[in-house]
Amino acid sequence: MSNETRAERLRQASHERREREKQELRQAIHEAAGELFLEHGYQEFSLRQVAEAIGYSPGTIYLYFNDKDDLLFSVADEGFFKFGQALSQAAAGTGDARQRLVDMARAYVDFGLENPEHYQLMFMQRTDYLLERPQQDLRPRIDSFQILQTAVEQAIAAGVLRAGDSLAIADTIWAQFHGIVALAIGMPGFYTPERARNAVDQAVTVMIEGLRP
């Protein structure tokens, strides 16, 4: 191996290590921001708190994000990506239109219970983020709900639900899921995850029975 080849490999390894460290730091910032947002809410949240939590100076945070909104937008994007993945996987997991609605209901509530910081940011405290577009994406974040509306349309076509306005039905389903998650997040000592999961099973069963042809 020539000295030039060895030097190039060392430079490449050094570059990859720096990029990995940057990604790890960015993820640490995300995680700290989510926890602090959940604890303090939007008004009391600050980049200085994030810096203190991860043991860096505030200036380090500004190397990655312009301000707290820029950071929280990024955290929200991460949440919407996870949320979209969860719904897509649930929708693709079965060919049965009725079971698809049940699986998506459970996936929705599980996401909210397991990611309360993302859920509050996405759907409870900064709902204006819903109509914003993630970087390099032409669609607003709210478009992830197209997965739910499509599942409703498939259920109507399969005769599981009676014919009707698929958007209105999807909105009704969303409202039920959101209410369950909001109760669980807002009253964690009273409205337990087990209670929330039992409630969503009951809610989706009642909904499907009430909308049968």
Side-chain angles (χ1 to χ4, degrees):
M1 181 184 300
S2 68
N3 289 337
E4 183 177 351
T5 302
R6 185 181 296 109
E8 179 59 32
R9 290 185 60 182
L10 288 172
R11 283 194 295 271
Q12 181 64 27
S14 178
H15 172 74
E16 291 175 356
R17 185 182 67 254
R18 288 196 300 272
E19 288 301 312
R20 185 169 58 252
E21 290 171 350
K22 287 180 181 178
Q23 290 303 315
E24 290 172 352
L25 178 54
R26 186 181 181 90
Q27 186 58 36
I29 293 171
H30 264 214
E31 291 174 1
E35 292 172 3
L36 289 165
F37 175 83
L38 188 61
E39 180 180 353
H40 298 288
Y42 176 78
Q43 294 299 331
E44 300 301 322
F45 173 86
S46 73
L47 296 188
R48 182 174 294 279
Q49 292 169 344
V50 176
E52 291 174 353
I54 64 173
Y56 281 82
S57 69
T60 301
I61 311 298
Y62 285 103
L63 294 175
Y64 293 85
F65 302 99
N66 296 329
D67 51 34
K68 76 174 186 178
D69 276 330
D70 187 31
L71 172 52
L72 291 177
F73 268 114
S74 183
V75 174
D77 282 343
E78 181 180 65
F80 276 104
F81 178 75
K82 291 181 178 179
F83 178 70
Q85 276 193 321
L87 291 188
S88 295
Q89 289 171 3
T94 178
D96 182 88
R98 186 186 192 282
Q99 189 61 43
R100 183 179 296 116
L101 291 175
V102 173
D103 291 347
M104 291 181 70
R106 291 170 176 168
Y108 184 108
V109 171
D110 282 345
F111 172 83
L113 296 177
E114 294 166 8
N115 302 276
E117 68 285 354
H118 284 116
Y119 195 89
Q120 283 212 47
L121 181 58
M122 293 158 59
F123 300 126
M124 297 175 71
Q125 293 199 34
R126 290 305 305 267
T127 55
D128 54 309
Y129 286 1
L130 286 170
L131 299 179
E132 297 288 343
R133 293 193 300 272
Q135 290 183 0
Q136 300 177 338
D137 196 332
L138 298 178
R139 301 167 303 165
R141 294 179 176 92
I142 194 66
D143 270 12
S144 56
F145 281 99
Q146 182 62 43
I147 303 168
L148 177 57
Q149 187 176 351
T150 297
V152 169
E153 292 168 352
Q154 291 169 339
I156 292 172
V160 174
L161 303 179
R162 64 173 174 263
D165 184 337
S166 63
L167 178 59
I169 294 173
D171 282 346
T172 302
I173 295 171
W174 177 18
Q176 291 185 14
F177 300 167
H178 174 72
I180 291 169
V181 175
L183 283 171
I185 291 176
M187 296 186 290
F190 174 74
Y191 207 83
T192 64
E194 180 181 9
R195 185 170 179 174
R197 291 187 171 100
N198 288 337
V200 75
D201 282 350
Q202 290 295 319
V204 73
T205 299
V206 170
M207 177 205 67
I208 292 173
E209 290 301 312
L211 289 172
R212 282 197 307 173

